[in-house]
Amino acid sequence: MNVTTPQTQVQRTESGLLSTRPVWLVGILAALAGAVVTEAFALVARAAGVPMEAASPGATEAAEIPVGGFFGGVLFWSVAGIVLAVVLARWAKRPARTFTVTTVALTALSLAGPAVAPHTATSTQIVLAASHVVAAAVVVPLVARRLSHVRR
């Protein structure tokens, strides 16, 4: 007799959905989810009064970060993550682990950008850094879970 509990049914559904989709498609869907969540985070910060103006290194003044800027930034940088995931799925011995370690290290490295942004309010620097973590917290686990289903 084969008995399934609701928990095992949920695990099978999640596992099946991710494991049957191409890595690039899971990456695109994860990037879209991360972009939406990160943009929502930025909109909440905006509504709380955080000035959304930042300057790049070498700039003489801060420029406004437009509504949708966080969404676009997550999509732009996720392309590199999707390419990395596809390459690792093809050639890495342990693609999920390699992807996770690499992307966590890159996320940590990305925090330097907001920290050194000139002419940028501290509150904005904090929101920018937190947005990197928010995006990674959505995208990385979804792609890593898909990569954990790669069979050698």
Side-chain angles (χ1 to χ4, degrees):
M1 175 178 207
N2 187 2
V3 178
T4 60
T5 65
Q7 182 181 7
T8 58
Q9 288 175 332
V10 169
Q11 288 172 343
R12 284 184 190 163
T13 303
E14 287 177 358
S15 176
L17 177 66
L18 289 174
S19 65
T20 60
R21 303 292 184 252
V23 171
W24 64 266
L25 179 59
V26 172
I28 289 171
L29 295 173
L32 287 170
V36 167
V37 170
T38 305
E39 185 64 34
F41 171 76
L43 290 172
V44 168
R46 230 181 256 276
V50 175
M52 288 299 161
E53 295 181 344
S56 299
T60 57
E61 62 183 41
E64 182 180 352
I65 302 168
V67 171
F70 286 79
F71 185 92
V74 172
L75 291 182
F76 179 83
W77 289 107
S78 291
V79 169
I82 293 167
V83 170
L84 175 64
V86 169
V87 168
L88 292 174
R90 174 73 173 99
W91 288 294
K93 187 173 186 175
R94 296 170 55 191
R97 184 178 186 331
T98 305
F99 179 81
T100 301
V101 168
T102 302
T103 53
V104 167
L106 290 172
T107 300
L109 184 62
S110 78
L111 300 178
V116 300
H119 314 291
T120 304
T122 302
S123 59
T124 305
Q125 290 175 318
I126 292 167
V127 168
L128 289 169
S131 72
H132 291 206
V133 175
V134 167
V138 174
V139 177
V140 172
L142 292 172
V143 176
R145 186 175 301 159
R146 170 57 186 91
L147 289 172
S148 70
H149 296 289
V150 171
R151 299 288 176 235
R152 296 266 167 251

